């Protein structure tokens, strides 16, 4: 057999072409995407990674007018698909995947995870993206005049009421124990924006409403976490749920909503104190919410848990924030082993400020709100949060999270677990 000829060292490899000047690299990427369209995805992902490793800031600058325009996650991905063919899935590919159950999807979201991971890895581009995502949504700006006038907004899965200077956000997905899906993430971000933008609001309260679910009918429930039925059906998206949730309303609760007004010279972020009251349980994303608020009350029969590792996914930013509250050993028990923290357990004091009997919780909530009305609370809250959580460390965490969570969504164990879950009924969701 005649040995094959060695590659000509003078011929550029595809990896080298990906790292060439942006126009040349863009053309090379488009050729590679066409050539490997029917191949296993690993090789093309390696080339996409090489392209982004060399050109992330240039790509992001082109998509955002030199970082002069704000960016939204879904719009940014759509613009990238048009401007850089082969870099991320096309609109048609994503639409086809959305119509399928999770087990039948092609896994195009992994490529979105790669794209956003590289952007967030860059201090320049990632910093701009995170700051852009703190701007209020168009939906919130559209609803703001009516909410400031009436003090009421029914967003579907969240009801918002302003009373005595308090924005009261009630999670009201009574059919599924406030399990979150794409719809609820959108409603929550809108509600958070409205609460932070309304000048009549001094502070904010999060609480679950009464359920109609047979097992908990008539009881308040805080949150059952991610909706595994929606995940099985393909309705939990990386961009619209898993990334938007962390970089959208949770980050806004922590840092504030970005505004451009006469006080922007002082701070471009409008933040307010937050109280959460936990009835029955705060599972998964519900427990994650408690890590960004200022005061937590719980009924004595409530519990907290983060079962994401048992479900096969990563519990958002809890891996980053929880050890600050509990220390690393207890955080590992909660995240890796599924340890439940009951409100009456000794370690619950690390996560819950007050525990009251279920019949006494309403009055205790009102007392806690009164204690946070001091004008200096917001300024001190800002300085506490600034010292507690480094923004660049959060950005780097989210860069890793974007890709790790994308892989987890399409892992065999996750698909198997959510498939088995779809046959069960009457239990907490996530």
């Amino acid at each position: 057999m005649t040995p094959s000829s060695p590659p000509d060292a003078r011929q550029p490899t595809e990896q080298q072409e990906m790292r060439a000047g942006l126009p040349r690299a863009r053309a090379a990427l488009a050729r590679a995407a066409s050539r490997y369209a029917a191949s296993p995805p690993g090789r093309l992902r390696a080339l996409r990674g090489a392209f982004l490793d060399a050109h992330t800031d240039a790509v992001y600058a082109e998509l955002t007018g030199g970082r002069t325009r704000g960016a939204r996650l879904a719009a940014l991905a759509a613009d990238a698909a048009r401007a850089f063919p082969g870099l991320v899935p096309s609109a048609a590919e994503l639409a086809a995947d959305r119509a399928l159950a999770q087990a039948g999807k092609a896994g195009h979201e992994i490529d979105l995870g790669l794209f956003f991971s590289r952007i967030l890895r860059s201090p320049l581009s990632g910093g701009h993206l995170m700051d852009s995502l703190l701007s209020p949504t168009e939906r919130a700006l559209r609803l703001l005049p009516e909410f400031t006038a009436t003090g009421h907004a029914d967003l579907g899965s969240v009801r918002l009421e302003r009373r005595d200077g308090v924005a009261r956000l009630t999670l009201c997905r009574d059919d599924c124990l406030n399990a979150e899906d794409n719809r609820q993430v959108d409603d929550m971000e809108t509600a958070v924006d409205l609460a932070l933008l309304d000048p009549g609001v001094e502070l904010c309260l999060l609480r679950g409403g009464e359920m109609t679910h047979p097992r908990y009918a008539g009881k308040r429930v805080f949150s059952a976490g991610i909706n595994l039925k929606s995940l099985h059906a393909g309705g939990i998206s990386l961009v619209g749920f898993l990334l938007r949730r962390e970089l959208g309303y949770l980050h806004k609760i922590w840092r504030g909503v970005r505004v451009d007004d006469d006080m922007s010279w002082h701070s471009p972020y409008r933040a307010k104190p937050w109280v959460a009251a936990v009835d029955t349980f705060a599972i998964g994303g519900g427990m994650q919410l408690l890590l960004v608020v200022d005061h937590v009350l719980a009924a004595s029969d409530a519990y907290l848990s983060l079962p994401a590792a048992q479900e096969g996914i990563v519990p958002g930013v809890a891996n980053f924030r929880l050890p600050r509250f509990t220390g690393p050993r207890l955080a590992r028990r909660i995240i890796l082993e599924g340890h439940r923290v009951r409100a009456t357990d000794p370690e619950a004091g690390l996560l819950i400020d007050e525990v009251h009997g279920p019949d006494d919780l309403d009055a205790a909530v009102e007392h806690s709100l009164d204690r946070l009305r001091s004008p200096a609370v917001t300024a001190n809250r800002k300085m506490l949060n600034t010292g507690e959580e480094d923004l660049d460390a959060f950005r780097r965490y989210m860069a890793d999270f974007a890709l790790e969570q994308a892989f987890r969504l399409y892992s065999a164990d996750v698909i198997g677990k959510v498939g088995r879950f779809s046959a069960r009924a009457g239990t907490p969701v996530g």
Side-chain angles (χ1 to χ4, degrees):
M1 179 182 294
T2 304
S4 59
S5 301
D8 187 340
R10 294 170 297 180
Q11 297 298 316
T13 66
E14 285 176 319
Q15 290 268 357
Q16 289 169 332
E17 285 190 311
M18 295 296 154
R19 297 179 183 278
L22 186 59
R24 180 177 165 188
R26 187 198 317 246
L29 180 62
R31 290 195 303 271
S34 177
R35 184 180 307 127
Y36 300 124
S39 303
R43 184 169 187 180
L44 183 53
R45 284 180 181 144
L47 295 173
R48 286 168 168 157
F51 175 86
L52 287 166
D53 286 342
H55 303 292
T56 290
D57 287 334
V59 167
Y60 187 81
E62 183 168 331
L63 297 176
T64 57
R67 293 176 295 280
T68 62
R69 297 192 300 268
R72 293 291 178 187
L73 295 171
L76 189 66
D79 289 345
R82 288 189 292 267
F84 296 89
L87 181 58
V88 295
S90 68
E93 289 173 322
L94 291 173
D97 251 12
R98 279 196 297 271
L100 301 173
Q102 192 68 17
K105 293 180 185 289
H108 293 304
E109 287 184 306
I110 295 174
D111 298 285
L112 292 178
L114 173 64
F115 174 68
F116 285 111
S117 177
R118 292 303 197 272
I119 289 174
L120 289 164
R121 189 181 294 177
S122 162
L124 183 63
S125 299
H128 181 273
L129 175 60
M130 291 206 312
D131 201 51
S132 296
L133 295 173
L134 292 174
S135 298
T137 65
E138 292 183 6
R139 184 186 179 197
L141 293 174
R142 189 171 64 251
L143 295 174
L144 182 61
E146 181 179 356
F147 178 68
T148 56
T150 66
H152 293 273
D154 188 340
L155 303 172
S157 61
V158 183
R159 290 193 302 269
L160 181 61
E161 178 188 10
R162 183 188 65 241
R163 191 170 75 248
D164 300 327
V166 179
R168 300 166 188 267
L169 287 73
T170 302
L171 287 68
C172 54
R173 289 292 298 275
D174 56 306
D175 58 323
C176 62
L177 308 180
N178 286 326
E180 279 193 291
D181 53 17
N182 284 24
R183 167 193 166 189
Q184 188 156 341
V185 167
D186 184 68
D187 290 347
M188 278 294 291
E189 184 165 12
T190 302
V192 169
D193 285 348
L194 291 172
L196 293 176
L197 291 171
D198 180 7
V201 170
E202 298 176 61
L203 63 164
C204 310
L205 170 68
L206 284 166
R207 195 169 184 186
E210 291 185 1
M211 300 291 105
T212 59
H213 187 287
R215 187 170 172 182
Y216 298 92
K219 291 194 64 175
R220 284 184 181 265
V221 168
F222 189 71
S223 174
I226 192 171
N227 192 316
L228 293 180
K229 290 184 179 179
S230 292
L231 177 58
H232 169 71
I236 298 294
S237 67
L238 177 72
V239 170
F241 182 103
L242 295 162
L243 294 181
R244 180 180 175 183
R245 184 176 188 273
E246 306 302 334
L247 295 170
Y249 82 81
L250 285 176
H251 195 199
K252 287 174 176 178
I253 290 173
W254 179 260
R255 194 172 177 204
V257 66
R258 184 178 178 87
V259 293
D260 295 311
D261 59 16
D262 291 342
M263 287 299 291
S264 295
W265 63 269
H266 175 248
S267 173
Y269 309 105
R270 187 168 296 165
K272 294 171 183 176
W274 288 83
V275 172
V278 178
D279 299 272
T280 311
F281 48 69
I283 300 174
M287 183 174 175
Q288 294 165 37
L289 256 171
L290 307 183
L291 304 180
V292 293
V293 303
D294 303 294
H295 194 81
V296 177
L297 302 93
S300 55
D301 58 353
Y303 70 86
L304 319 178
S305 70
L306 286 170
Q310 288 69 50
E311 296 161 356
I313 57 176
V314 179
V317 186
N319 305 54
F320 178 68
R321 292 181 174 134
L322 183 63
R324 295 203 305 261
F325 290 82
T326 65
R329 301 317 313 171
L330 181 54
R332 279 169 167 75
R333 286 175 57 206
I334 292 170
I335 293 173
L336 302 182
E337 301 177 33
H339 173 67
R340 286 185 179 183
V341 178
R342 301 191 178 278
T344 53
D345 289 345
E347 65 264 32
L350 299 170
L351 296 161
I352 300 170
D353 298 290
E354 300 180 50
V355 178
H356 299 274
D359 294 337
D360 300 323
L361 192 57
D362 290 352
V365 167
E366 299 305 317
H367 288 312
S368 72
L369 292 169
D370 288 339
R371 292 196 301 273
L372 289 173
R373 289 182 186 271
S374 167
V377 166
T378 298
N380 280 282
R381 174 191 189 274
K382 174 185 176 182
M383 300 314 298
L384 282 166
N385 288 4
T386 297
E388 193 171 320
E389 184 168 298
D390 179 75
L391 188 59
D392 277 335
F394 174 56
R395 175 184 54 77
R396 292 191 298 270
Y397 177 92
M398 287 304 302
D400 286 343
F401 173 81
L403 193 52
E404 290 298 330
Q405 191 73 302
F407 271 118
R408 287 279 81 215
L409 279 179
Y410 293 92
S411 62
D413 60 307
V414 169
I415 290 170
K417 287 172 182 174
V418 297
R420 290 193 298 273
F421 175 84
S422 66
R424 302 202 310 266
T427 56
V429 179

